[in-house]
Amino acid sequence: MTTTPDPGAFFREMLGQWEQMANQFGGQVMKSGEFSRVMQGANSATMTAQAAAHQMMDKALAAANMPSRSEVEDLSARVRRIEDSVGRIEALLMAQAGIAPPERPKPKRTRKPPGKPA
């Protein structure tokens, strides 16, 4: 009984050898001090550019009298804490008055499931 050769075996073998060579070359390049310096310089340049962009955006938002993202996040967190406090106070007052908390309305289901095919 003869077995038919796998047509993809040659491709897989070639791909495996290429991956090994690329990994060896990449490993050697990454070990060099030059590569480390270049990557550190690129990271530093990226961080500097991001900081400059954030500063420009903050200045533009301030000129337009609009809050920055961090200011909106801070406000959202403060509102959330206030809502939690009000909820606790409301629950305590209702418990003291002997009133059961109201049921929260459930969201309406407006979407219908798809019909069954005929």
Side-chain angles (χ1 to χ4, degrees):
M1 182 172 176
T2 59
T3 60
T4 3
D6 183 12
F10 172 74
F11 178 73
R12 284 192 297 273
E13 179 67 29
M14 187 176 67
L15 182 63
Q17 288 177 5
W18 180 81
E19 284 179 341
Q20 285 178 348
M21 289 188 315
N23 287 337
Q24 287 174 352
F25 177 73
Q28 290 171 356
V29 168
M30 286 185 206
K31 287 179 186 176
S32 70
E34 219 174 277
F35 178 78
S36 298
R37 284 190 296 276
V38 167
M39 288 305 294
Q40 187 176 14
N43 285 339
S44 175
T46 301
M47 296 300 283
T48 303
Q50 283 180 349
H54 286 298
Q55 285 178 343
M56 287 180 12
M57 183 60 71
D58 286 344
K59 287 179 183 178
L61 289 171
N65 199 22
M66 294 181 68
S68 69
R69 180 180 185 157
S70 62
E71 291 171 334
V72 170
E73 288 173 349
D74 290 343
L75 287 172
S76 295
R78 288 179 63 189
V79 167
R80 196 173 311 113
R81 286 192 304 268
I82 291 169
E83 287 175 342
D84 291 343
S85 295
V86 168
R88 286 192 303 271
I89 293 168
E90 186 180 51
L92 285 172
L93 290 174
M94 288 181 158
Q96 285 179 349
I99 302 171
E103 287 190 32
R104 304 274 185 216
K106 294 183 179 178
K108 294 180 182 177
R109 291 188 52 109
T110 57
R111 295 186 72 181
K112 304 286 184 209
K116 294 183 179 180

